[in-house]
Amino acid sequence: MIIFGTKGYLYQLAILTLVCGRCGNPAAHTLRKRVTKFTLFFVPLFPISTSHATQCTFCGAEQKLTKEQAEQLTAQAAGGFDGQAYGQQHQQPHQH
């Protein structure tokens, strides 16, 4: 008998101050990466899907991002740029 399946992993990449596109508050947003890996006998072998998103700590709204957008925000957090200015320029409504 072969036992296989998937397992999800959630990584917090950064915490940024952005203006939320849903509630309009300048609040901390967590930048997260979700990775789903294929498992064989409960051993994770390789990733089968990856997604990135930010979540507002004030209202809980989550916004999906592309890999490039996530990399840009990660670099911005590491470089010490003001994330609030980025959030004001790219204000978008919350999408499910």
Side-chain angles (χ1 to χ4, degrees):
M1 174 191 264
I2 296 177
I3 300 172
F4 64 94
T6 61
K7 181 169 175 151
Y9 297 88
L10 185 63
Y11 302 99
Q12 183 171 310
L13 303 177
I15 297 178
L16 304 157
T17 301
L18 303 171
V19 175
C20 181
R22 181 177 181 193
C23 67
N25 289 306
H29 285 67
T30 55
L31 176 59
R32 297 178 177 169
K33 175 181 176 181
R34 283 194 177 104
V35 179
T36 303
K37 293 187 177 184
F38 176 80
T39 60
L40 183 62
F41 294 106
F42 306 105
V43 177
L45 297 177
F46 55 87
I48 56 174
S49 74
T50 302
S51 64
H52 296 84
T54 58
Q55 184 175 23
C56 177
T57 58
F58 188 81
C59 70
E62 188 170 300
Q63 182 175 347
K64 293 185 179 187
L65 302 173
T66 64
K67 182 180 178 181
E68 292 76 23
Q69 289 172 323
E71 287 172 354
Q72 182 182 11
L73 286 174
T74 304
Q76 198 172 52
F81 293 107
D82 184 16
Q84 186 173 348
Y86 176 87
Q88 290 172 345
Q89 292 172 358
H90 297 283
Q91 226 177 49
Q92 297 176 355
H94 174 69
Q95 298 173 358
H96 291 279

